[in-house]
Amino acid sequence: MQDHLKDPVWKQAIAGSQMLLVAFGALVLMPLITGLDPNVALFTAGVGTLIFHVVTGGQIPIFLASSFAFIAPIIAAKGKFGIEETLGGLMAAGILYVILSGAIRLRGTGFVTRLLPPVVIAPVIMTIGLGLAPLAVHMASGRTGDGSSQLIPYDTAIWISMISLAVTIIMSVWAKGIFRLIPIMIGVIVGYILSWFTGVVDTTAVEQAPWFAVPNFTTPAFSWSAILFMIPVAIAPAIEHIGDVLAIGNVTRKNYLEKPGLHRTLLGDGLATSAASMLGGPPNTTYSEVTGAVMLTKNFNPKVMWWAAGVAIVLAFVGKFGAALQTIPVPVMGGILCLLFGSIAVVGLNTLIRHQVDLSQSRNLVIVGVTLVFGIGNMVLGHLEGIALCAVAAVILNLVLPGEKEAWGKRIHEKRAD
């Protein structure tokens, strides 16, 4: 570890570029799905990562970028409120992190883990993945995300999407070293090449785009409807954040929940998300893919992430680069999303299993069952719907239903002691 901390600047820059490469596939895929500008996403991922490192004192080798948890809410909110008010709601979600950070500083982590135990968070995470399944299938079949129109003939699209999916699976399971950490990027590249040969790639936009271009920044607007719609969605990523901080701590053998403290890491994540939303970018979250790269390379130097952030910011101003990203055909993304969205659902399922949530207990069965149906069925109550509503319902049911309450605060402390 100490050797990496003393690496010359050029080695740190190369290592940073490698970390960005690992994060790149998911980073740009999220804005492409939701209709946000990928160049803005690159810029806000870089800025958000730098904000996080300033807030945490540059102690943790973590990279922040586009959060998949917000895909469905962003798509729904854009249709309901428009992009500006959607960004305002996302900014409020970041502020919720800041409020949670202050509460943790005052009262410790115990109350958060009691308020948001595995039986609450797991079904919400499962809903995020399963609720997006139709979007992945529509895109894999060559249709728009809502399935309203056919963009590419089905027979062509399904071959492209399934080969893209197969390549991504093969790289995830059988590849070695750094290649195992970039299955999304390799799947996109293979799918793009295949799409080129089948004649469904249009590069006109790339030819017309300038080399240097300021990203298409968008200013948020604010309405209570959009804010109330978006804030509950932040519950699941907030808990995911705790898991990611624990994971990187296990890799580096440091207790980041104590130093710099969970309140500071959550504050950094919240400020990064709000800053991204102020500029028109997607919400940020800690990237577990990059944690995997840190574990593989044994490069624990946090300054490497500063370089990754810097490279992302520079790439954001390359006009042709952003235009090229937007030429990726729908079936390529759809095929890969069949795996990614399923993986999100499995993370939730694994949370139930790892924490041994007893679903034979009526209260647990009710919480999980109602949460899944409200979320996947896109139930609407007032200003709340889908993922936002199911998150609120899960929290309320956990608080009011009688019986022994599940908790993972104890498990967190056990992990911290390891």
Side-chain angles (χ1 to χ4, degrees):
M1 175 177 170
Q2 295 300 324
D3 292 342
H4 282 301
L5 292 177
K6 295 176 183 177
D7 277 346
V9 170
W10 66 270
K11 273 194 176 180
Q12 291 179 20
I14 291 172
S17 301
Q18 180 173 264
M19 295 301 175
L20 178 61
L21 184 71
V22 170
F24 188 82
L27 192 170
V28 299
L29 205 56
M30 191 275 194
L32 289 172
I33 296 163
T34 54
L36 299 176
D37 190 310
N39 282 48
V40 175
L42 277 164
F43 183 84
T44 55
V47 169
T49 298
L50 293 177
I51 289 172
F52 178 87
H53 281 271
V54 169
V55 171
T56 58
Q59 299 178 53
I60 314 175
I62 270 181
F63 185 84
L64 276 67
S66 317
S67 171
F68 272 69
F70 286 90
I71 289 176
I74 288 174
I75 291 171
K78 277 178 64 184
K80 207 175 179 69
F81 310 111
I83 184 62
E84 290 83 4
E85 289 186 13
T86 297
L87 291 170
L90 292 170
M91 191 172 171
I95 293 170
L96 177 66
Y97 286 20
V98 176
I99 294 170
L100 274 175
S101 164
I104 289 170
R105 178 161 188 170
L106 290 173
R107 300 189 58 185
T109 60
F111 89 98
V112 175
T113 54
R114 285 191 296 273
L115 183 68
L116 304 171
V119 72
V120 169
I121 292 304
V124 174
I125 294 173
M126 291 168 71
T127 295
I128 291 169
L130 295 175
L132 290 167
L135 174 73
V137 172
H138 286 316
M139 293 176 70
S141 303
R143 297 188 290 268
T144 52
D146 59 3
S148 60
S149 61
Q150 191 79 36
L151 302 174
I152 294 170
Y154 174 81
D155 290 343
T156 303
I158 204 68
W159 274 105
I160 294 171
S161 60
M162 291 303 102
I163 290 173
S164 300
L165 172 61
V167 169
T168 306
I169 291 171
I170 289 167
M171 296 309 296
S172 299
V173 176
W174 284 291
K176 303 293 184 184
I178 194 70
F179 293 105
R180 190 169 186 169
L181 297 171
I182 53 171
I184 297 173
M185 177 170 285
I186 295 173
V188 167
I189 290 171
V190 171
Y192 195 93
I193 293 169
L194 184 60
S195 301
W196 179 278
F197 283 112
T198 54
V200 297
V201 176
D202 183 3
T203 58
T204 306
V206 181
E207 294 162 8
Q208 294 175 348
W211 279 103
F212 175 83
V214 176
N216 185 28
F217 296 120
T218 305
T219 307
F222 300 95
S223 72
W224 280 112
S225 297
I227 289 170
L228 291 174
F229 179 88
M230 200 62 73
I231 279 181
V233 181
I235 292 173
I239 288 293
E240 181 188 7
H241 171 94
I242 297 173
D244 286 340
V245 172
L246 280 168
I248 190 66
N250 289 337
V251 170
T252 62
R253 299 193 179 281
K254 289 190 175 183
N255 190 344
Y256 296 123
L257 293 181
E258 288 189 0
K259 184 182 178 185
L262 180 60
H263 63 286
R264 286 179 70 182
T265 66
L266 203 53
L267 175 62
D269 202 338
L271 292 176
T273 288
S274 291
S277 304
M278 284 176 64
L279 298 170
N284 282 318
T285 189
T286 48
Y287 260 34
S288 54
E289 300 99 315
V290 176
T291 297
V294 169
M295 183 164 55
L296 181 72
T297 62
K298 300 290 187 286
N299 192 336
F300 305 149
N301 187 353
K303 287 186 179 178
V304 164
M305 302 304 170
W306 303 2
W307 281 102
V311 174
I313 290 170
V314 170
L315 283 175
F317 289 90
V318 181
K320 285 190 183 294
F321 185 69
L325 290 175
Q326 297 194 51
T327 65
I328 298 172
V330 162
V332 176
M333 294 188 287
I336 293 166
L337 292 177
C338 289
L339 173 62
L340 286 184
F341 292 160
S343 299
I344 293 171
V346 171
V347 168
L349 183 61
N350 191 42
T351 301
L352 288 175
I353 295 168
R354 274 192 303 113
H355 295 277
Q356 299 174 355
V357 176
D358 185 1
L359 293 179
S360 66
Q361 286 189 26
S362 296
R363 74 179 311 275
N364 293 340
L365 182 63
V366 168
I367 293 169
V368 174
V370 171
T371 303
L372 288 174
V373 172
F374 274 22
I376 297 170
N378 203 36
M379 176 69 82
V380 179
L381 286 176
H383 293 298
L384 295 175
E385 65 180 76
I387 293 169
L389 175 60
C390 81
V392 172
V395 171
I396 292 172
L397 287 170
N398 179 62
L399 292 175
V400 302
L401 292 178
E404 185 180 349
K405 290 180 170 59
E406 304 279 346
W408 54 8
K410 184 177 177 184
R411 284 184 176 274
I412 284 179
H413 293 304
E414 287 172 356
K415 286 182 180 179
R416 286 168 62 176
D418 287 344

